[in-house]
């Protein structure tokens, strides 16, 4: 897997998520909890920007192939899982793990659990991907400094 293909994948996944966010925005009023639907819309658009940024930063990071794969799939999973968790919460009225946007709504324990797993696992995944990318960027900075003439 080349850095170029990794970056391209992140840009594609980001663009698909951006499109999903735009479509989600058109349906906000159809959600059982429209405030959560709006949160899902905004999250999708913002999460798409994160994936684009990761795609553009990728070539500057020095990562092993294994770290690249981990970073790509953790970032993609994280950004999509958070968005999907918000969509599910908005459709079914889940609110336990998202009390501000979910205030006044509740769902069955199954839907509450699904939302919790999606949002928390997605958050953990994107935090992990960000840490690995940060280390790769720092490593890239060190490699650039070593290759500069004195």
């Amino acid at each position: 897997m080349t850095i170029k293909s990794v970056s391209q994948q992140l840009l594609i996944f980001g663009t698909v998520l951006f499109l999903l966010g735009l479509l989600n925005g058109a349906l906000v009023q159809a959600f059982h909890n429209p405030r959560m639907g709006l949160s899902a819309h905004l999250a999708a658009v913002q999460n798409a920007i994160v994936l684009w940024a990761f795609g553009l930063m990728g070539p500057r990071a020095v990562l092993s192939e294994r770290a690249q794969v981990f970073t790509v799939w953790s970032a993609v999973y994280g950004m999509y899982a958070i968005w999907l968790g918000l969509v599910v919460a908005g459709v079914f009225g889940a609110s336990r793990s998202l009390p501000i946007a979910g205030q006044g709504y509740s769902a069955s324990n199954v839907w509450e659990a699904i939302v919790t797993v999606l949002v928390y696992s997605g958050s953990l995944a994107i935090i992990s991907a960000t840490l690995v990318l940060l280390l790769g960027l720092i490593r890239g900075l060190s490699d650039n400094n070593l290759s500069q003439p004195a």
Side-chain angles (χ1 to χ4, degrees):
M1 182 180 287
T2 68
I3 284 289
K4 184 176 179 184
S5 69
V6 167
S7 293
Q8 192 74 14
Q9 287 176 346
L10 285 166
L11 294 172
I12 290 167
F13 279 113
T15 303
V16 170
L17 187 55
F18 187 78
L19 178 60
L20 290 170
L22 295 176
L23 296 171
N24 180 167
L27 300 172
V28 164
Q29 292 303 316
F31 280 72
H32 177 66
N33 177 353
R35 186 183 318 158
M36 193 70 75
L38 178 61
S39 293
H41 159 67
L42 294 172
V45 171
Q46 292 170 339
N47 293 355
I49 294 168
V50 169
L51 293 176
W52 290 337
F54 273 39
L56 294 173
M57 286 188 283
R60 297 180 180 271
V62 175
L63 296 170
S64 67
E65 185 170 337
R66 187 174 176 187
Q68 288 175 31
V69 170
F70 173 83
T71 302
V72 168
W73 292 112
S74 293
V76 170
Y77 172 78
M79 297 293 84
Y80 276 80
I82 291 168
W83 167 72
L84 185 59
L86 293 169
V87 168
V88 171
V91 169
F92 294 99
S95 63
R96 272 189 228 139
S97 57
L98 304 158
I100 295 172
Q103 186 175 15
Y105 292 88
S106 64
S108 71
N109 287 335
V110 171
W111 290 116
E112 293 285 359
I114 289 169
V115 168
T116 299
V117 167
L118 287 169
V119 171
Y120 286 114
S121 67
S123 297
L124 182 60
I126 192 58
I127 289 168
S128 301
T130 302
L131 288 171
V132 172
L133 181 61
L134 176 60
L135 291 174
L137 289 168
I138 291 168
R139 193 172 298 129
L141 180 64
S142 297
D143 285 359
N144 285 341
N145 287 340
L146 294 174
S147 64
Q148 298 294 324

